[in-house]
């Protein structure tokens, strides 16, 4: 089990950039996949980016592909989400989540992630 803690959120104008961080504590060698989810007001929590620990391979939701980049620094037990060319529709609470197995095809399913951070707010104004 791990405990993720997100930071780096804030307010930015459309077209700007932010970098979110997720520091992982606890049994830091146990997770197999981490993902970033976001939740806009009144909407479901959606998976937007993921990374596989063993290979560093990533995948993204279509809505952020080409603009967001997820990376890991295992020496620092930290995951990052670099967000460029931000849009107002990127506004929401961003969460980091960990899981310990499962198929790649299910990475967007929030219910396959047992451990979550508290979230960090991102607001993009037009």
């Amino acid at each position: 089990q791990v405990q993720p803690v997100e930071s780096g959120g804030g307010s930015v104008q459309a077209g700007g950039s932010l970098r979110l961080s997720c520091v992982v504590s606890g049994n830091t060698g146990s997770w197999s996949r981490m993902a970033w989810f976001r939740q806009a007001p009144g909407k479901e929590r959606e998976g937007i980016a993921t990374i596989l620990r063993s290979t560093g391979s990533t995948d993204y939701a279509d809505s952020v592909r080409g603009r967001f980049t997820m990376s890991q620094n295992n020496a620092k037990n930290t995951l990052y989400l670099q967000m460029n060319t931000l849009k107002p529709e990127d506004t929401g609470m961003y969460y980091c989540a960990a899981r310990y197995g499962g198929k790649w095809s299910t990475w967007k399913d929030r219910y396959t992630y047992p451990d979550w951070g508290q979230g960090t707010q991102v607001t993009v104004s037009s």
Side-chain angles (χ1 to χ4, degrees):
Q1 188 176 8
V2 300
Q3 295 82 45
V5 177
E6 306 92 337
S7 63
S11 297
V12 65
Q13 289 194 326
S17 297
L18 283 173
R19 188 176 80 157
L20 305 184
S21 297
C22 172
V23 177
V24 179
S25 63
N27 191 359
T28 57
S30 62
W31 61 270
S32 62
R33 179 177 296 282
M34 298 288 288
W36 285 96
F37 286 75
R38 72 180 175 194
Q39 188 165 19
K43 293 190 176 181
E44 292 289 318
R45 192 171 300 189
E46 61 171 339
I48 57 171
T50 187
I51 194 164
L52 185 65
R53 179 190 183 92
S54 59
T55 63
S57 61
T58 55
D59 198 11
Y60 301 91
D62 289 344
S63 57
V64 306
R65 193 185 307 275
R67 299 188 298 121
F68 291 11
T69 302
M70 186 172 183
S71 60
Q72 61 181 352
N73 184 330
N74 288 335
K76 294 184 178 180
N77 295 316
T78 303
L79 292 301
Y80 303 99
L81 186 67
Q82 178 66 43
M83 306 187 296
N84 298 328
T85 320
L86 283 161
K87 304 175 181 180
E89 50 264 44
D90 294 318
T91 294
M93 187 70 78
Y94 283 67
Y95 299 91
C96 185
R99 74 181 198 186
Y100 306 92
K103 297 180 180 179
W104 166 82
S105 60
T106 65
W107 77 261
K108 294 180 185 177
D109 183 348
R110 60 178 289 192
Y111 297 105
T112 66
Y113 293 80
D115 294 320
W116 291 79
Q118 295 299 307
T120 185
Q121 177 68 36
V122 172
T123 303
V124 185
S125 58
S126 57

